[in-house]
Amino acid sequence: YKPRNSKNLQNILTWEIPSQAYEPAEYHIYRDKNLTQLAGKVFNHEKLQFIDSHLEARETYNYYVISVDKIGIVSAPATVTIK
């Protein structure tokens, strides 16, 4: 078995707690603008960081991060593009 990508490529997203009326309980990270391809979840008691290691060289990656509070209120997505 030979991996397709011999380098250990990673995209690392970090953020701070947003200043809004409610405190998020968790964050959902998606790979598509329709918010259907969930890449991961980060809970508020964890380090606010998402590491994506499933990458190919010379590709552009879009991420959409939303916050969700304890009763299910969802924020608008924050968009991050990494080239």
Side-chain angles (χ1 to χ4, degrees):
Y1 172 75
K2 183 177 179 183
R4 286 186 289 166
N5 189 347
S6 60
K7 294 183 181 179
N8 189 14
L9 299 176
Q10 293 182 330
N11 287 337
I12 301 173
L13 283 65
T14 61
W15 60 91
E16 296 180 7
I17 296 173
S19 58
Q20 51 198 30
Y22 64 91
E23 182 177 338
E26 59 191 59
Y27 302 86
H28 299 180
I29 300 91
Y30 293 90
R31 289 194 177 97
D32 67 312
K33 66 181 176 181
N34 295 323
L35 307 179
T36 60
Q37 296 176 16
L38 182 65
K41 289 184 181 182
V42 176
F43 297 93
N44 70 351
H45 61 276
E46 299 173 338
K47 185 174 184 178
L48 299 182
Q49 172 178 286
F50 173 74
I51 300 174
D52 190 356
S53 300
H54 304 285
L55 306 176
E56 296 291 329
R58 295 179 292 281
E59 292 291 328
T60 299
Y61 292 90
N62 295 304
Y63 299 94
Y64 304 85
V65 181
I66 62 168
S67 60
V68 182
D69 77 356
K70 62 184 175 185
I71 61 170
I73 297 174
V74 177
S75 72
T79 305
V80 178
T81 300
I82 301 175
K83 295 183 178 189

